[in-house]
Amino acid sequence: MKTEKNDIKIKVCMGPGGIATGGADVIKVFKDDLASANIKAKIGKGCSLHKVGCFGLCARDVLVDVIVGKNKTTYQYVKPDMVPRIVKEHLIENNPVSEWTVGDDYYSFYNKQIKVVLSEFSEVDPEDIDTYTAVGGYEATKKVLTKFTPEKTIAIIKKSGIRGRGGAGFPTGVKWEICRKVESDQKFIICNADEGDPGAFMDRAVIEGNPHSVIEGMIIGAYAIGATKGYVYVRAEYPLAVERLTIAIKQARGKNLLGENILGTKFNFDVRLKLGAGAFVCGEETALIASIEGQRGMPRAKPPFPVHSGLWGKPTVINNVETLANVPYIIRKGADWFSSFGTEKSKGTKVFALTGKVKNTGLIEVPMGILLREIIYDIGGGIEGGKAFKAVQTGGPSGGCIPAELVDINVDYESLAKVGSIVGSGGMVVLDDTDCMVSIAKFFLEFTQAESCGKCVPCRVGTKRLLEILDRITAGKGREGDIELLEDLGNDIKLSSLCGLGQTAPNPILSTIKYFRHEYEAHIKEQKCPAKVCKDLIEYGILEEFCKGCGACLRVCPSKAITGEKKKPHIISVDVCIKCGACFDVCKFKAVKKE
Amino acid sequence: MATLTIDGKTITVVEGTSVLDAARKLGISIPTLCHHPKLSPYGGCRMCIVEIKGIARPVTACTTPVSEGMEVSTSTPYLEKLRRTILELILSDHPNDCMVCEKAGDCVLQELAYFYGLRENRFAGERRIYAKRDGNPLIERDMEKCILCDKCVRVCDEVQRVRAIEIAYRGFKSKVCPPYERDLDCEFCGQCIRVCPTGALTGKKWALKGRQKDIKEVDTICPYCGCGCNLTLNIRKNEIVRVTSKEDTLNEGWLCSKGTFGYHFVNSPERLKNPLIRIAPKSSEFGVRSSELKEKLQTQNSKLKTQNSKLFREATWDEALDLAAKRFREIKEKHGHDSIGALASARCTNEENYLFQKFMRAVIGTNNVDHCARY
Ligand SMILES: Cc1cc2nc3c(=O)[nH]c(=O)nc-3n(C[C@H](O)[C@H](O)[C@H](O)COP(=O)(O)O)c2cc1C
Ligand code: SF4
Ligand code: SF4
């Protein structure tokens, strides 16, 4: 009995999803309850309460693992008020609360996944370096610093075939090699943690869940290229990531993994944080460098590339969070192990933020080359509410929409590029038949338009004009020729913009026109929104024959547009209606029509 | 050195030369709006895009260094179409008021619009509207006409080293402004006006004085200091309407605020054109404390126009010079030549200052010669 008590572990998801749904409160109640239960039920002192990183399945948050001995039970949708019962029945009476545990579909979410950078999330307490070293953390650092030359290190990374996870997919080993060969008195390595795409939270989860893996990647990279200083450029909007990085850096310094004469090898390297002020374009590497230097964050033309002339004009390698987090595992487990995942040209695994209309939303890590179908149906559990799968938007504002008929493509750099989208940083928004493709394109254009740095004309003025055209199309004022104008201008912007932002900003429009041209046509020619999303093109009304006169719609209408006596058909006054759709959602009798 | 071909013509240039400079050496003109030979390359306007064999997308000639064997095309139909679109986009956010613009006839944007024959605009839409006018006394900043080429920002930073302005905001709302959008409060050297390709920056004092086509240019030297910058007086109807400077001069076309904006004395009604000889006694001025003297002089100055005749009378140069010579001689005879000292002016040319000391030493006979710059 004694050992069993010592083996009790409670793990509460404190990834972005867990935090948002009240993970901290759940932890607090667990702490309190365990403390009091401690005395009564004598649940030994060994009970440890971990704040663990992302579990992945955000839709089920707060997720809690209760591990007794070798038995793990996972609870889903945990609220603080559920904790006392779990403590009482499961931990005291040894009788798990089965109605709250996850079902089979929860495990299918994991079956097709292969976790590398997310692999140690449930073992590691991100605020405790010892839990990272306990699972082999910093072994790669030791190995590299004591056994490998920088050239050998680079050779391993090259052999693994890993390509940058920040969007462009440039081979990491090649980047390091070029930088290694540039002669300079000073070099830098920068971790790009600016993650600004709407819907993306992969990098955030990696930093919050396992910050030491990123720092370890940086140490190895620095050694390989010959840098003595590193920066993590992290968004100020990620306070927890900042906090955990700060703690991690401090702990790493304490263990002489950062600083001077690291592990007695005469190698010096230290890392500083630089907080970004929330500009998407500062994720672009030259803008990021300008921002660290204290300049306005605007991209500049390349060449020279940062590997030749980067921060303060010195050779600089910039890598994405996920890229760097892969590095320790590649060193630890070998290049062959890494390249056994993936396709010929896209090696390893990739983390995606699966969101939108799938049943299981959350953070997933899959081998490159997995079928889109597997992601959506096996991992994502299919479309929520039995609706029809329409398309998936990958790569965020720089990416494109892949229609349902292409669901059997492989998810890798080349295949996605072929159909007009990109892997990008890993956003994946699943759309169903209630999504209007013109509105989706407009959503992303609103973002890129507002985030354009303003330096070059095609992006600064061009995206504004694209948005204006989309605005009028969704308002039913589209003109003959607008689709062609969008295509023409979109292509010109792609070709003539300075940086990746402008060069990819038209993708959401161009890909939706390519696959859903008829929806644009319906908006323009018939003033109809087929998905019934565009407010200006729909009208709400009440079907007399179905209306029971219950008054639910009347009470919920914020603009008092609905009138009618009890038990008699109600009426919507079209002039007063603001088309919020509240009545449509609330009516139990499907008596509210939208057309 | 690197040898490359541009539009089929071969040229050899030093490594590091931009494709744009190499093309210009060949006499091939590539349109630009944000490029300035003395400023760092920017690559913002995208007008100078060229095609380079082996590179998928067009690149800007101003930012791309040449390399051995490069094959460049500067004016394919594909490029010209992109340039047209870019220009059309710029013009879609530019006031259509060349008729009343100071810069008409001397505006790079107008010129390009003319050559590309842009009349209709497929992208007509929202324009930036800025109601507030910058209240500074000298530089008109009409930001609705600004095309965000960043030249003013760069010249202020890289040449003048002042950094009085920077681009603020993002995307379509980007705007060149002084900190916190306050009124411009800088050195007022006017370098920014000089490089602005549009009518966004002009001199406030120049307004409605005439556009460039009516201007007669007279080259001269700035009278303000010993640097001796080259000025070009822009003259219309025998009046200086503005001052510019040419780039192939020792000051490379840059001027300071005095050279740029301080020319109004030339046509000032208060300007002395003839010698004046004092008629009022001045002994009463001695023994007065300096503050009182200053006050007195101030009131005197303000009254100068009307009271001049009570203090001074106009004379001919001969009469005035005779009087000065006579008084010098008297002082010298009475008190000795070393009782006379002289201060030269930094505003004189070297030649004038040379003559001045020569006169003091050889004619007056004193070495008491000094210079205002020491005080
Ligand atoms: C507009 C724009 C935004 C970007 N944002 C990010 C970002 O948030 N994070 C990131 O890692 N890379 C971002 N990138 C890509 C970087 O410029 C760069 O390619 C990347 O950080 C290199 O790292 P990697 O080789 O490890 O992918 C962005 C690029 C552009 C054009
Ligand atoms: S493409 Fe857009 S974000 Fe990039 S430099 Fe041009 S204006 Fe700035
Ligand atoms: S004010 Fe003139 S020089 Fe300055 S950015 Fe605008 S157009 Fe260029």
Side-chain angles (χ1 to χ4, degrees):
Chain A
M1 277 315 272
K2 206 176 171 194
T3 45
E4 201 186 275
K5 272 181 195 163
N6 282 341
D7 264 3
I8 292 176
K9 277 188 188 158
I10 311 277
K11 294 179 175 180
V12 179
C13 171
M14 284 295 278
I19 291 173
T21 43
D25 294 335
V26 172
I27 289 187
K28 192 173 169 295
V29 182
F30 260 115
K31 269 191 182 157
D32 294 348
D33 272 38
L34 288 170
S36 43
N38 234 350
I39 312 161
K40 278 190 212 154
K42 294 190 182 129
I43 301 179
K45 289 169 201 149
C47 181
S48 60
L49 198 118
H50 279 255
K51 285 184 220 170
V52 298
C54 193
F55 276 15
L57 199 59
C58 302
R60 307 276 176 90
D61 267 322
V62 178
L63 285 161
V64 177
D65 280 349
V66 176
I67 306 163
V68 182
K70 287 207 169 91
N71 296 330
K72 183 166 101 176
T73 311
T74 304
Y75 291 97
Q76 59 186 3
Y77 306 114
V78 177
K79 298 261 167 317
D81 57 6
M82 293 157 70
V83 173
R85 192 172 149 200
I86 297 175
V87 171
K88 182 166 171 285
E89 294 185 14
H90 191 161
L91 296 176
I92 301 175
E93 294 162 11
N94 213 353
N95 195 4
V97 191
S98 55
E99 65 205 82
W100 291 342
T101 57
V102 295
D104 288 347
D105 56 340
Y106 175 81
Y107 297 102
S108 81
F109 180 76
Y110 292 104
N111 283 345
K112 294 261 171 165
Q113 299 195 48
I114 295 178
K115 301 216 171 178
V116 176
V117 296
L118 304 183
S119 62
E120 280 149 7
F121 270 38
S122 51
E123 326 297 323
V124 172
D125 176 347
E127 294 177 13
D128 181 0
I129 191 169
D130 292 332
T131 62
Y132 180 62
T133 44
V135 294
Y138 288 111
E139 265 167 29
T141 304
K142 268 179 220 143
K143 200 164 167 186
V144 162
L145 293 191
T146 57
K147 295 209 184 100
F148 296 166
T149 60
E151 286 74 16
K152 168 99 199 265
T153 312
I154 290 171
I156 295 171
I157 299 300
K158 265 177 88 173
K159 185 154 176 253
S160 77
I162 185 172
R163 293 166 63 176
R165 302 296 194 236
F170 191 83
T172 305
V174 176
K175 196 189 271 189
W176 289 12
E177 187 173 46
I178 301 170
C179 193
R180 170 89 215 159
K181 286 186 178 152
V182 182
E183 299 260 328
S184 178
D185 54 342
Q186 170 77 63
K187 290 179 193 174
F188 295 101
I189 185 163
I190 299 175
C191 169
N192 188 344
D194 194 47
E195 196 170 53
D197 334 18
F201 50 90
M202 298 75 57
D203 295 347
R204 171 180 174 176
V206 171
I207 293 181
E208 291 180 1
N210 196 356
H212 285 288
S213 66
V214 181
I215 293 171
E216 185 169 16
M218 288 183 78
I219 300 171
I220 296 166
Y223 175 75
I225 64 167
T228 53
K229 285 189 185 142
Y231 284 86
V232 182
Y233 188 88
V234 55
R235 313 183 65 186
E237 296 94 327
Y238 283 177
L240 186 64
V242 173
E243 189 189 317
R244 290 191 173 163
L245 271 173
T246 312
I247 294 170
I249 291 172
K250 215 164 137 193
Q251 291 178 344
R253 282 190 193 133
K255 303 241 175 214
N256 188 221
L257 290 157
L258 289 175
E260 308 223 321
N261 197 17
I262 294 175
L263 303 175
T265 60
K266 300 215 170 76
F267 173 60
N268 305 330
F269 177 65
D270 209 350
V271 174
R272 288 178 63 180
L273 292 190
K274 175 82 192 177
L275 302 201
F280 174 57
V281 74
C282 284
E284 196 284 335
E285 51 192 11
T286 57
L288 187 152
I289 288 172
S291 175
I292 294 183
E293 287 174 352
Q295 315 275 346
R296 180 178 161 87
M298 289 205 290
R300 61 159 175 78
K302 297 180 272 192
F305 289 91
V307 280
H308 293 287
S309 174
L311 187 60
W312 319 112
K314 302 290 182 187
T316 303
V317 158
I318 300 189
N319 275 133
N320 167 260
V321 170
E322 194 186 329
T323 316
L324 290 166
N326 267 300
V327 167
Y329 298 99
I330 296 174
I331 299 290
R332 249 196 269 164
K333 302 188 178 177
D336 293 333
W337 164 82
F338 185 85
S339 64
S340 67
F341 309 116
T343 64
E344 192 199 335
K345 287 184 173 165
S346 307
K347 298 292 185 197
T349 59
K350 173 82 191 90
V351 180
F352 288 97
L354 185 64
T355 56
K357 304 291 174 60
V358 277
K359 284 199 191 112
N360 304 329
T361 58
L363 210 61
I364 61 169
E365 184 169 357
V366 291
M368 286 277 190
I370 189 173
L371 293 182
L372 187 56
R373 172 187 294 284
E374 293 175 281
I375 293 185
I376 290 168
Y377 290 101
D378 299 341
I379 299 175
I383 306 299
E384 207 180 18
K387 301 214 176 81
F389 169 47
K390 184 170 186 179
V392 54
Q393 218 284 347
T394 67
S398 312
C401 280
I402 303 168
E405 58 265 29
L406 293 177
V407 72
D408 283 312
I409 62 163
N410 301 89
V411 177
D412 59 54
Y413 294 109
E414 279 72 27
S415 309
L416 291 200
K418 220 179 280 165
V419 298
S421 187
I422 56 168
V423 171
S425 51
M428 205 174 253
V429 188
V430 180
L431 308 170
D432 68 17
D433 53 8
T434 61
D435 286 306
C436 162
M437 300 315 279
V438 188
S439 303
I440 294 289
K442 196 174 107 178
F443 168 80
F444 284 110
L445 248 289
E446 272 166 4
F447 177 80
T448 32
Q449 192 272 138
E451 292 294 331
S452 157
C453 81
K455 179 168 180 172
C456 74
V457 177
C459 172
R460 182 183 74 238
V461 192
T463 55
K464 170 81 180 167
R465 299 303 175 225
L466 288 176
L467 183 60
E468 284 174 345
I469 300 169
L470 290 178
D471 270 337
R472 68 177 181 243
I473 293 178
T474 52
K477 294 179 186 142
R479 303 170 197 158
E480 183 77 41
D482 269 354
I483 302 178
E484 292 71 21
L485 191 57
L486 284 173
E487 288 177 311
D488 195 38
L489 177 57
N491 279 320
D492 287 356
I493 293 172
K494 281 183 74 158
L495 287 169
S496 58
S497 289
L498 191 162
C499 85
L501 195 156
Q503 287 164 7
T504 58
N507 285 350
I509 300 184
L510 297 176
S511 69
T512 48
I513 293 182
K514 183 168 166 195
Y515 298 115
F516 300 94
R517 199 181 186 97
H518 54 278
E519 278 197 37
Y520 281 82
E521 282 165 353
H523 281 77
I524 296 172
K525 294 195 182 131
E526 299 155 32
Q527 274 88 48
K528 283 236 149 37
C529 173
K532 297 186 182 153
V533 170
C534 297
K535 274 191 186 177
D536 290 325
L537 303 182
I538 50 170
E539 233 170 55
Y540 288 91
I542 291 178
L543 297 164
E544 246 177 69
E545 61 272 32
F546 293 115
C547 178
K548 302 262 187 284
C550 72
C553 58
L554 185 148
R555 286 189 292 277
V556 86
C557 175
S559 59
K560 297 197 166 56
I562 303 178
T563 49
E565 284 175 41
K566 257 204 156 29
K567 303 211 167 135
K568 294 217 173 111
H570 285 29
I571 296 169
I572 300 179
S573 158
V574 193
D575 304 332
V576 189
C577 171
I578 55 164
K579 298 175 184 170
C580 68
C583 54
F584 185 85
D585 295 336
V586 82
C587 179
K588 284 192 214 124
F589 310 103
K590 294 199 159 60
V592 179
K593 65 175 182 201
K594 176 161 80 164
E595 38 181 45
Chain B
M1 299 300 269
T3 304
L4 66 158
T5 60
I6 306 179
D7 294 345
K9 294 182 197 161
T10 305
I11 186 170
T12 303
V13 289
V14 287
E15 219 100 7
T17 308
S18 71
V19 171
L20 182 69
D21 285 343
R24 288 190 173 166
K25 275 207 174 110
L26 279 170
I28 296 169
S29 69
I30 299 175
T32 61
L33 281 162
C34 70
H35 178 74
H36 190 287
K38 301 226 173 69
L39 303 177
S40 59
Y42 189 63
C45 75
R46 316 303 292 169
M47 285 302 286
C48 72
I49 44 173
V50 295
E51 281 182 273
I52 295 177
K53 203 170 162 190
I55 300 182
R57 66 170 60 246
V59 297
T60 40
C62 66
T63 59
T64 308
V66 297
S67 64
E68 184 61 36
M70 208 178 228
E71 288 176 43
V72 184
S73 310
T74 70
S75 180
T76 59
Y78 163 77
L79 290 172
E80 294 302 350
K81 171 181 183 278
L82 290 177
R83 286 190 186 128
R84 262 188 86 88
T85 300
I86 293 164
L87 259 185
E88 221 177 325
L89 286 171
I90 297 178
L91 292 169
S92 73
D93 183 31
H94 191 86
N96 216 343
D97 60 3
C98 297
M99 290 85 97
V100 291
C101 182
E102 286 292 323
K103 194 81 171 180
D106 188 29
C107 169
V108 190
L109 184 60
Q110 195 185 41
E111 198 71 358
L112 285 171
Y114 168 81
F115 279 112
Y116 280 86
L118 286 172
R119 196 180 178 87
E120 308 302 324
N121 199 313
R122 292 176 293 162
F123 311 122
E126 185 188 333
R127 270 209 306 110
R128 293 161 298 156
I129 303 292
Y130 302 120
K132 189 180 161 284
R133 188 174 171 223
D134 192 315
N136 79 76
L138 294 170
I139 300 180
E140 189 66 77
R141 302 181 65 249
D142 185 348
M143 289 299 108
E144 291 181 18
K145 292 180 185 165
C146 170
I147 60 166
L148 288 148
C149 71
D150 197 60
K151 277 195 209 173
C152 53
V153 176
R154 278 174 289 152
V155 83
C156 189
D157 175 22
E158 295 170 17
V159 173
Q160 204 64 20
R161 300 265 159 195
V162 171
R163 285 200 94 156
I165 43 177
E166 179 53 283
I167 299 180
Y169 307 110
R170 273 179 234 173
F172 191 70
K173 297 193 182 114
S174 303
K175 182 184 182 189
V176 176
C177 37
Y180 309 105
E181 285 204 68
R182 293 201 193 107
D183 289 346
L184 188 64
D185 181 12
C186 61
E187 296 191 356
F188 293 110
C189 60
Q191 248 62 288
C192 52
I193 304 181
R194 234 154 258 136
V195 295
C196 182
T198 71
L201 300 178
T202 50
K204 282 195 174 165
K205 302 248 150 77
W206 310 348
L208 302 177
K209 290 276 187 186
R211 298 199 272 210
Q212 208 58 22
K213 69 173 175 38
D214 307 320
I215 293 297
K216 190 176 123 201
E217 294 189 345
V218 176
D219 292 335
T220 182
I221 304 290
C222 179
Y224 276 109
C225 81
C227 289
C229 292
N230 289 261
L231 301 184
T232 300
L233 306 179
N234 290 223
I235 292 164
R236 181 171 173 264
K237 294 193 176 161
N238 214 26
E239 184 195 353
I240 302 178
V241 299
R242 62 186 150 262
V243 175
T244 55
S245 182
K246 292 179 178 157
E247 276 178 32
D248 55 347
T249 55
L250 73 100
N251 50 302
E252 302 187 342
W254 310 125
L255 295 174
C256 78
S257 61
K258 291 179 287 182
T260 311
F261 297 114
Y263 55 85
H264 288 89
F265 70 90
V266 177
N267 292 329
S268 167
E270 286 177 20
R271 180 172 173 186
L272 295 184
K273 292 177 183 162
N274 295 303
L276 298 178
I277 291 177
R278 177 183 287 277
I279 47 174
K282 68 175 181 191
S283 55
S284 62
E285 304 282 353
F286 291 102
V288 180
R289 268 192 314 212
S290 62
S291 57
E292 288 171 31
L293 184 66
K294 210 166 140 195
E295 208 173 281
K296 201 154 189 171
L297 282 173
Q298 261 163 9
T299 43
Q300 218 171 56
N301 270 345
S302 64
K303 288 179 196 155
L304 209 59
K305 252 180 230 164
T306 48
Q307 300 217 331
N308 226 359
S309 54
K310 287 187 189 150
L311 295 168
F312 300 97
R313 72 173 167 82
E314 268 189 16
T316 64
W317 283 105
D318 279 345
E319 191 191 358
L321 288 171
D322 282 348
L323 176 66
K326 177 169 156 266
R327 291 286 294 132
F328 270 132
R329 189 174 293 119
E330 283 169 13
I331 294 166
K332 206 169 123 178
E333 276 165 7
K334 195 164 167 196
H335 303 287
H337 39 75
D338 273 341
S339 64
I340 298 174
L343 285 178
S345 167
R347 290 170 189 179
C348 296
T349 61
N350 274 346
E351 292 79 359
E352 286 163 338
N353 275 326
Y354 175 80
L355 287 173
F356 178 82
Q357 61 84 31
K358 193 82 182 167
F359 170 78
M360 292 313 292
R361 295 187 216 272
V363 180
I364 303 287
T366 179
N367 284 328
N368 297 337
V369 183
D370 215 327
H371 189 272
C372 75
R374 293 209 329 146
Y375 297 93

